[in-house]
Amino acid sequence: MSQIVSHAAKEAHGISRRTFLAAALALPFAALGQANCGAPTPRDGEGPFYKPGAPRRASLLEPGAKGEKLVLAGVVYSAQCRPVANALLDFWHADESGDYDNAGFRYRGHQMTDAQGRYRLETILPARYPGRPRHIHVKVQAPGRRALTTQLYFPGDAPAVLQPLMVKIERRDGALHAEFDFVVEI
Ligand code: FE
């Protein structure tokens, strides 16, 4: 009995390893996020400040912005760990004073993932506002699917319970570089 189980386990391991190697060879960038996929990205509140119709743009940087520059990048995966091309990401966040632009579209913008499921957003680190840790709102929508509404948080700023929604972050080349991979059910 135990031999059967052990054999089956070896088979499963062999298959997943081959799959991983194939993915790693085909998609070197996406393979970095393999360990993260599987568990769907949790939903989180939309909050009162979402506004449809934000322009399509990968940079939300404003001339003369006082906030620290932030580059947020990652991959949108399916629960089967496949990169999702043409997923829509609609971002919105508070400015350097903790205010949202509800009249216009400052710090609001959407973009689509590329063929490897990648996205990259240039913006500033949003300020905290009363009662909330620092966060970036986002809606992620795979083609033809319902949008996942959630928020991204920053290590050391948000409570540990929000760990599944925390970016990895480092400071280099004069900017903060944050990384977050989404996992959506498709
Ligand atoms: Fe908010």
Side-chain angles (χ1 to χ4, degrees):
M1 182 65 184
S2 66
Q3 271 182 331
I4 293 166
V5 170
S6 148
H7 182 68
K10 273 183 198 158
E11 280 282 304
H13 179 73
I15 288 162
S16 71
R17 181 165 170 79
R18 276 198 298 279
T19 307
F20 176 81
L21 286 176
L25 289 170
L27 301 163
F29 180 90
L32 294 174
Q34 287 284 325
N36 293 336
C37 53
T41 302
R43 295 180 180 275
D44 198 1
E46 179 176 291
F49 301 122
Y50 176 67
K51 206 175 134 173
R56 181 172 180 167
R57 53 184 176 183
S59 176
L60 306 182
L61 291 172
E62 297 277 336
K66 291 185 192 73
E68 188 168 7
K69 188 179 169 187
L70 172 72
V71 179
L72 169 65
V75 176
V76 177
Y77 288 106
S78 70
Q80 293 75 37
C81 295
R82 294 193 191 97
V84 181
N86 295 314
L88 170 69
L89 294 118
D90 196 356
F91 293 101
W92 72 105
H93 65 77
D95 66 13
E96 59 268 57
S97 305
D99 296 320
Y100 286 85
D101 180 5
N102 296 312
F105 290 98
R106 283 173 62 243
Y107 302 115
R108 298 174 186 271
H110 77 271
Q111 60 179 280
M112 315 297 285
T113 54
D114 69 10
Q116 284 80 44
R118 294 175 296 194
Y119 73 93
R120 186 177 189 276
L121 178 73
E122 286 190 2
T123 189
I124 59 160
L125 185 65
R128 289 181 200 92
Y129 57 87
R132 293 302 323 278
R134 209 185 285 282
H135 61 279
I136 292 178
H137 294 270
V138 61
K139 287 177 182 283
V140 187
Q141 188 170 21
R145 302 290 168 161
R146 196 169 146 233
L148 165 79
T149 301
T150 193
Q151 304 180 37
L152 302 184
Y153 298 92
F154 295 85
D157 185 72
V161 69
L162 295 170
Q163 184 61 41
L165 291 171
M166 278 187 210
V167 300
K168 281 186 228 154
I169 196 158
E170 62 174 348
R171 186 177 273 106
R172 65 181 140 87
D173 308 326
L176 287 168
H177 291 262
E179 201 181 295
F180 191 87
D181 295 338
F182 295 93
V183 179
V184 295
E185 301 193 67
I186 62 167

